[in-house]
Amino acid sequence: MTMLGQYVPGASLVHRMPPIAKLAILVVALLTMAIAVRQPWHLVPAAALTVIAYGLSRIGPRAALNQLRPAVWMLLFVGAFQWLFTGWQRALVVCGVLGLSVAWAALVSLTTRVLDMLDAIHTLLGPLRRFGVNTDRVGLVLAMTIRCIPLISGLVADVTEARKARGLGFSIRALAVPVVIGALRTADAMGEALAARGVDD
C-alpha cells in the first residue's frame, strides 16, 4: 500500500518528535508554501527543506517517492488545467506546492502512529471542550482527512490504468464518473466501519 497512513517504524529524530510538534510543523509548512511560493524558483528551497526532513526521518527514497505516485495523475490534470488557463509558470507553482504538501503530510503519517496522532489532535483541541465541541470526533475527522489525502489520487490512478489496459483514450467524464463512484463507495464503507465502532453520526 503506497498511500498516507502506512507507518514506518524507526528511531530517527523525526520519529521521536512529539506528534503535536510534527503536526505544528506540518501546518506551518503548508501555510508557508501556500503564502510564500509565488514563482517557480521559490520551489527550490521548499523542495530542499522537504528532502532534508525526509533525510532526518531516515525514510528511504523508494518509500518517499511511493507517497507521490498516487498523486501523479491528479498533478498532471491540475497542471494541464493551470497551464491552459494561467500559463506554465503558475502550473508549475501549483503542482509543486501540491506535491510538496502531499510529501509533508506523508512524512507526518509515515513517522507517527495513528493513536499518537489522534492523541495529539485531541490535546490541541482540548480548550474547545468548554464551548461544547466534541474533540474526540473532530480529532477523528482530522486524522482521517490526513490519511485520506491520497485516496482520491489512488482512485484516479486506478481508473486511468484500467482505461489504458482497455485501450481507451482520455476523457474527463469517463475519468470523473468512476472516481466519484469509487469515492462514494469508500465513504460508505468508512461510515459503516465507524458506525460498527460506535461513531453513529
Side-chain angles (χ1 to χ4, degrees):
M1 183 177 64
T2 57
M3 62 175 60
L4 293 178
Q6 187 179 17
Y7 173 72
V8 177
S12 70
L13 175 63
V14 180
H15 282 84
R16 297 196 305 269
M17 288 179 62
I20 292 180
K22 283 187 275 191
L23 289 175
I25 292 173
L26 173 62
V27 171
V28 171
L30 297 184
L31 290 177
T32 301
M33 286 189 293
I35 296 173
V37 177
R38 288 289 178 262
Q39 299 295 331
W41 67 267
H42 293 162
L43 292 169
V44 176
L49 289 175
T50 305
V51 172
I52 292 173
Y54 270 87
L56 292 174
S57 70
R58 299 177 185 172
I59 299 294
R62 179 176 296 181
L65 292 175
N66 280 343
Q67 303 306 306
L68 294 177
R69 188 170 63 181
V72 168
W73 291 109
M74 178 188 69
L75 293 175
L76 289 176
F77 176 78
V78 172
F81 181 85
Q82 290 288 334
W83 193 329
L84 181 63
F85 290 99
T86 62
W88 70 269
Q89 290 184 326
R90 182 59 183 169
L92 184 59
V93 168
V94 171
C95 290
V97 170
L98 285 176
L100 291 175
S101 298
V102 171
W104 278 93
L107 180 60
V108 172
S109 197
L110 287 169
T111 59
T112 311
R113 293 182 178 86
V114 178
L115 292 179
D116 293 337
M117 187 180 297
L118 285 173
D119 288 342
I121 295 174
H122 188 268
T123 300
L124 288 173
L125 297 176
L128 297 179
R129 290 188 206 130
R130 67 184 66 181
F131 301 106
V133 176
N134 188 332
T135 57
D136 292 331
R137 185 155 298 175
V138 174
L140 178 61
V141 170
L142 290 176
M144 289 180 62
T145 301
I146 293 175
R147 297 201 175 280
C148 290
I149 288 174
L151 179 59
I152 300 302
S153 299
L155 289 173
V156 172
D158 291 342
V159 171
T160 303
E161 290 175 2
R163 290 184 59 78
K164 284 185 176 181
R166 294 182 177 88
L168 302 176
F170 179 78
S171 169
I172 295 295
R173 179 178 297 178
L175 176 66
V177 172
V179 169
V180 171
I181 293 175
L184 292 176
R185 287 177 176 173
T186 302
D188 286 340
M190 286 184 176
E192 292 175 359
L194 291 172
R197 288 163 175 77
V199 183
D200 53 358
D201 291 335

